[in-house]
Amino acid sequence: MRTQQNNHIFFQPSNPRIPSINPTPFPFPFPFPMKAFTLFGTSDTLSLFGVAALASSSSPSPSISISISSRSYAFRNQRSFPQRLFFCRAENADGSVSLVNVPPNLLLAEREEAKAVLNLFLRKQGMSRVNAIRKIKQLDLFIDHLISRLHTVYKTRYLVGRELTTLEIRDALIPYLDELLEEHGDNLVDALEYFPIPIVKEKSEEIDQNPPADIIEPSTTHASSLSSANSKKLTAMARVSDIGETPNLPPHVVYLEDLGMDLEVIKEVIRKFPAFAYYSLEGKIKPVVEFLVDLGIAKSDIPVIISKRPQLCGISLTENLIPTMAFLEDLGVDKKKWAKVIYRFPALLTYSRSKLQATVDFLYEMGLSSEEVGKVLTRFPSIISYSVEEKLRPTAHYFHSVGVNGGVLMSRCPQAFGLNIETSLKPVTEFFMQKGYHMADVAVMASRYGALYTFSVAENLVPKWEYFLTMGYPKSELVKFPQYFGYSLEERIKRRHEIVKESGVRLLLNQVLSLSDEDFDRVLKRKVKKKNACA
């Protein structure tokens, strides 16, 4: 409720359950040019019961009394505001100054809605309801960040005092969370937990020093949150710097060194992933290492796995790793080959179930059987890292356009689906077309030997093609045996061709290259003997 006495404006709580405070008028002159301001607080601010004032450059200087947490804060000749408040600049058409009240219940509602959106998002990534709730309790800094983002996106709504709808809140936050997921992938949960360490870029510090006039300035709370987070990052970096410079190394460093992990490698892991510096030895690192060893992974391979995916050590065995492995086994991963699978692609165990299921669904869509799906996941687990809509599906469409059966190619050479269409796949197709082959020939060659598309045109196809022209075979021989391009030019192709040439007989290209040395010698001697008998 607003009252005005002698050009002074006062605000009292309209809620009868909030104790009334007798305000004392204080003049509030503004000795600097003003735009219109909108004051609002984050959800963890002191309770703001009422703030509003109207003034123009020609009107008498108003005074403002602000009731916060049952206390009265008055300002006289001050530019600073109470802690835990922040504001955004805006300009009204008439040049007037407006301070629009954001009720505490609205701020609380925004915070709860942001939590609900984040909860739903985490669960879509495969996290259980209980784990999502538990994790959100640890993400206060990131929740504040989401609220700040709402105030940025809907700045004009606050200027007119309009409450955001649930749909508007979700429309602002969900696309943003999707962007973070795309940027950080399976590292997202760690990025949120240590926010803003993995998310805020180094150059942002320079930007924050001089924020544009049309965006929300950080509140004291937000600034202190950033300071706290930056302090964490500095602490992690300090741990890196201190490693090796003192006689008493941290326990987890000693443990990793005993496993054969080089000290410089440990430092590099922490530089790239500061959260690793906070992992406890007994609570996180050691249990995961022992679990991996029990699976059959050699201790000498553990440093490589940790270097590739340090986040693996931060995942709960009982709540995440083991259930994820069981889920993948149901999808067809050979449980007898877990050691090889994890060594090849340790990140596999850090992906959400929704991501895993989406990739498997696409493989079935391509026509693979459950057995073939299991073989693909076992032989080439990194297929999971490819985006279905941005990578796998467009690649499948390209292969279909040139007549190649994508399902057959996927089952035989899933690596081909990780290649860039413009820089890797099209040049291979164009190479054979330029050599006089038809598109149907290329499709047959690719179906028979999927790895054909994984070879470099300049470094592999060109030199082997040029040598093939000297061997005296028709071009159709390569359609029958495209595996020719998979053999070493110097160690296999040239050496065996010279032997055949010296013997004076002729063998099929397949016989020259695919047979073992023993079988090759036997076939060659038989041919020579037959030739001599005929002579």
Side-chain angles (χ1 to χ4, degrees), residues 180-201:
L180 293 181
L181 178 61
E182 182 178 351
E183 177 181 355
H184 296 279
D186 53 303
N187 295 335
L188 180 60
V189 174
D190 289 311
L192 301 187
E193 182 175 352
Y194 288 91
F195 176 82
I197 292 175
I199 297 180
V200 174
K201 304 296 186 294

Side-chain angles (χ1 to χ4, degrees), residues 124-363:
K124 283 186 176 180
Q125 308 315 309
M127 189 176 290
S128 68
R129 181 180 63 83
V130 174
N131 288 339
I133 294 174
R134 183 183 299 132
K135 178 58 65 177
I136 288 174
K137 291 181 179 179
Q138 304 170 6
L139 303 179
D140 286 341
L141 293 181
F142 185 69
I143 297 296
D144 288 342
H145 173 67
L146 292 181
I147 298 300
S148 297
R149 186 170 182 84
L150 280 179
H151 294 161
T152 301
V153 174
Y154 294 111
K155 178 176 55 181
T156 56
R157 300 297 178 88
Y158 291 98
L159 291 177
V160 297
R162 177 177 172 183
E163 180 178 350
L164 297 180
T165 66
T166 297
L167 184 59
E168 287 173 330
I169 293 175
R170 294 184 178 183
D171 285 346
L173 298 186
I174 291 178
Y176 176 60
L177 292 172
D178 287 336
E179 290 176 8
L180 293 181
L181 178 61
E182 182 178 351
E183 177 181 355
H184 296 279
D186 53 303
N187 295 335
L188 180 60
V189 174
D190 289 311
L192 301 187
E193 182 175 352
Y194 288 91
F195 176 82
I197 292 175
I199 297 180
V200 174
K201 304 296 186 294
E202 296 298 332
K203 64 180 181 179
S204 66
E205 295 179 2
E206 178 181 350
I207 295 174
D208 288 341
Q209 292 174 3
N210 299 290
D214 59 343
I215 66 170
I216 296 176
E217 297 180 356
S219 65
T220 306
T221 300
H222 190 56
S224 63
S225 297
L226 291 176
S227 176
S228 174
N230 288 332
S231 178
K232 274 188 176 182
K233 182 176 182 179
L234 292 174
T235 301
M237 294 299 100
R239 294 187 182 190
V240 174
S241 301
D242 292 341
I243 291 177
E245 298 180 2
T246 59
N248 298 320
L249 294 174
H252 65 288
V253 174
V254 175
Y255 178 76
L256 293 174
E257 280 194 313
D258 289 341
L259 288 173
M261 197 168 185
D262 187 77
L263 185 60
E264 290 304 316
V265 175
I266 298 174
K267 290 183 178 181
E268 185 62 23
V269 167
I270 296 176
R271 287 191 187 98
K272 292 181 177 179
F273 186 66
F276 189 77
Y278 297 93
Y279 287 170
S280 70
L281 174 60
E282 298 297 331
K284 287 181 178 283
I285 298 176
K286 192 173 182 180
V288 171
V289 170
E290 292 176 347
F291 176 75
L292 296 178
V293 171
D294 289 341
L295 286 176
I297 296 175
K299 283 189 177 182
S300 58
D301 291 337
I302 297 297
V304 176
I305 292 174
I306 293 179
S307 299
K308 289 181 178 178
R309 205 62 167 182
Q311 297 91 330
L312 200 62
C313 293
I315 298 176
S316 168
L317 282 173
T318 57
E319 296 181 4
N320 296 100
L321 280 183
I322 295 176
T324 298
M325 290 174 66
F327 181 72
L328 285 165
E329 289 173 7
D330 290 340
L331 296 177
V333 173
D334 188 347
K335 59 183 176 183
K336 296 179 181 179
K337 298 182 179 179
W338 268 121
K340 291 183 178 179
V341 171
I342 295 174
Y343 181 78
R344 288 170 181 165
F345 190 60
L348 179 67
L349 300 181
T350 63
Y351 281 95
S352 67
R353 293 191 184 184
S354 61
K355 169 60 175 170
L356 298 173
Q357 188 66 60
T359 302
V360 170
D361 289 344
F362 177 76
L363 297 181

